[in-house]
């Protein structure tokens, strides 16, 4: 597919969730074995939230909080893939496709690398793109700040969309 450069749009998403006891940990739609999960109204999948915001941002839409208010009981405990699917639907309606996504998880724990492939595969499947069009990096913050103190996890995502 030959897409003119002028039709590319990029979006950025950022999200943070604090740790909470007795919650499962979901990152990128994958359940990660962990003694502690993330607090949130939905399943608190910080990576999928940042991903949805990156996609909404790329097409100039409003953010995930506007689309899915955390005061709305419909989204309580819901799988965050619902948010990404809505973002993808909006992309499609505006005549775009997602080209690639580049994701970073910031966490002191747990170790993300054993789950990188599973997460990327799930992102590729959710977005309808190839594995090669996804990237997932993880970093600590060298024990600095709230991430470094192990109080929560943050995620940053850049998404590129193209008009088709
Ligand atoms: Mg969130």
């Amino acid at each position: 597919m030959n897409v003119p450069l002028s039709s590319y749009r990029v979006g950025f998403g950022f999200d943070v969730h604090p740790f909470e006891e007795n919650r499962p940990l979901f990152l990128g739609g994958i359940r990660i074995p962990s003694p502690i999960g993330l607090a949130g109204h939905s399943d608190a999948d910080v990576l999928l939230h940042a991903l949805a915001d990156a996609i909404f941002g790329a097409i100039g839409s409003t953010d995930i909080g506007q689309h899915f208010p955390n005061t709305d009981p419909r989204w309580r405990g819901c799988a965050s893939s619902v948010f990404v699917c809505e973002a993808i639907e909006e992309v499609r309606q505006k005549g775009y496709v997602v080209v690639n996504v580049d994701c970073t998880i910031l966490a002191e724990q747990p170790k993300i690398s054993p789950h990188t492939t599973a997460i990327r595969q799930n992102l590729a499947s959710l977005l309808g793109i190839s594995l090669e069009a996804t990237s997932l990096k993880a970093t600590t913050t060298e024990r600095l700040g709230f991430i470094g103190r192990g109080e929560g996890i943050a995620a940053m995502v850049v998404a590129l969309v193209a008009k088709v």
Side-chain angles (χ1 to χ4, degrees), residues 2 15 20 26 34 52-53 133 138:
N2 190 7
D15 196 27
E20 185 177 297
F26 289 98
S34 167
D53 260 350

Side-chain angles (χ1 to χ4, degrees), residues 15-17 49:
D15 196 27
V16 178
H17 282 257
H49 293 186

Side-chain angles (χ1 to χ4, degrees), residues 8-14 50-61 91 98-103 156-162:
Y8 286 110
R9 297 180 66 168
V10 69
F12 174 74
F14 174 73
L51 174 62
D53 260 350
I55 295 168
F56 282 133
I59 53 170
S61 186
V91 163
V98 174
V99 178
N100 74 299
V101 295
D102 182 15
C103 311
M156 299 191 277
V157 177
V158 175
L160 184 71
V161 302

